[in-house]
Amino acid sequence: MENAEAPSPVLLVCEHASRRLPEKMGSLGLSPEALVSHIAWDPGALAVSQLLVKSLDAALIYQRFSRLVYDCNRPPDAEAAMPPVSEVFEIPGNAAISAAERLARTEALYVPFTDALSGFIATRKAHGRLPAMVTMHTFTPIYHGRKRDVEIGILHDEDSRLADAMLAAAGKTTRYAVRRNEPYGPADGVTHTLIKHGLKNGLLNVMIEIRNDLVSDEIGQRVMADYLTGLLGESLAALSQ
Ligand SMILES: [Zn+2]
């Protein structure tokens, strides 16, 4: 949690912020190459989120461990919470997880994360301030050998208010290729956090997916953060009118 007392309504969430594995997990049987790849984390997502913390004066909640251990954007009963395969990589350490191990990982990573989100939202609600939840992700430019043209995905589930406003604002320029529910959408199971914390609490909510080659260095991260600061500011202002 960063900047919990922030004045902005924006609550940034980063489920795939880190590629760190808890020491006792070892390497999960993965190569060093796989352990630093996009299957372990969303490269650049935390860096851009932390720039938005400053530019928007917003709060941020992020997971400190790799999604290879537990993917916090998935419920405990989903196989994808502890995936045995991710894109082209098999994850030996996730191939045959016992029920006890699943429970231990859920309690160690998912429960504290989701409780932190619930607690933050409940506290804000109690003070009459509904957060606008923005989950921050990055995606790989080449997936299963195919290049992706979309640069920024604006994803939503049933409540598209904030996504609609952002897409309208993005449509005023051609700076980035911004698309709705690409390269993933609700059918891919990626809207778990949006549903559990956003829709159930009536919050404005959106998931932002950035193609990770655009935020691979500090300059790219700053340019992207500036762009998203403008887009979010304009969209939230339009919705509050
Ligand atoms: Zn992600």
Side-chain angles (χ1 to χ4, degrees):
M1 177 92 236
E2 285 185 14
N3 209 14
E5 309 297 328
S8 164
V10 174
L11 166 61
L12 299 158
V13 179
C14 200
E15 297 100 320
H16 306 148
S18 173
R19 57 183 157 88
R20 195 166 91 177
L21 294 177
E23 217 164 291
K24 66 170 184 183
M25 305 293 317
S27 67
L28 292 171
L30 287 165
S31 67
E33 177 204 15
L35 287 172
V36 299
S37 77
H38 69 90
I39 71 163
W41 66 321
D42 285 356
L46 180 62
V48 174
S49 300
Q50 287 175 325
L51 290 169
L52 292 175
V53 164
K54 292 198 187 107
S55 61
L56 296 166
D57 207 352
L60 165 65
I61 292 175
Y62 66 94
Q63 172 55 256
R64 292 174 300 133
F65 290 104
S66 171
R67 66 165 158 217
L68 292 169
V69 183
Y70 190 106
D71 181 337
C72 280
N73 195 26
R74 294 291 193 286
D77 59 356
E79 188 186 61
M82 295 161 242
V85 179
S86 180
E87 202 200 358
V88 293
F89 297 93
E90 282 189 25
I91 305 163
N94 288 353
I97 311 174
S98 67
E101 172 66 13
R102 292 192 84 87
L103 186 62
R105 291 194 198 185
T106 301
E107 287 181 346
L109 270 73
Y110 179 75
V111 171
F113 183 81
T114 200
D115 282 357
L117 268 170
S118 300
F120 178 89
I121 293 164
T123 302
R124 284 280 173 106
K125 273 182 130 175
H127 290 91
R129 296 175 61 204
L130 273 193
M133 192 175 72
V134 179
T135 73
M136 296 291 298
H137 295 262
T138 66
F139 63 93
T140 181
I142 296 172
Y143 191 66
H144 288 292
R146 287 191 58 187
K147 176 133 183 12
R148 287 159 154 171
D149 293 328
V150 55
E151 294 181 308
I152 301 174
I154 304 291
L155 284 61
H156 59 83
D157 204 281
E158 282 175 17
D159 180 352
S160 66
R161 288 173 295 165
L162 183 51
D164 290 344
M166 290 183 74
L167 286 157
K172 293 177 187 169
T173 72
T174 53
R175 195 153 143 202
Y176 291 109
V178 184
R179 311 252 173 87
R180 183 189 298 271
N181 283 334
E182 284 187 39
Y184 308 107
D188 302 303
V190 298
T191 50
H192 171 64
T193 300
L194 296 190
I195 294 168
K196 183 176 167 79
H197 296 286
L199 268 66
K200 296 227 166 112
N201 286 301
L203 309 184
L204 290 172
N205 66 90
V206 72
M207 175 173 175
I208 299 178
E209 281 274 11
I210 303 164
R211 207 176 66 198
N212 71 29
D213 57 314
L214 298 168
V215 292
S216 61
D217 62 17
E218 202 184 320
I219 293 173
Q221 291 159 6
R222 287 192 179 279
V223 170
M224 182 60 66
D226 282 350
Y227 176 75
L228 293 175
T229 298
L231 209 55
L232 281 165
E234 186 177 337
S235 305
L236 291 169
L239 286 165
S240 66
Q241 279 167 7

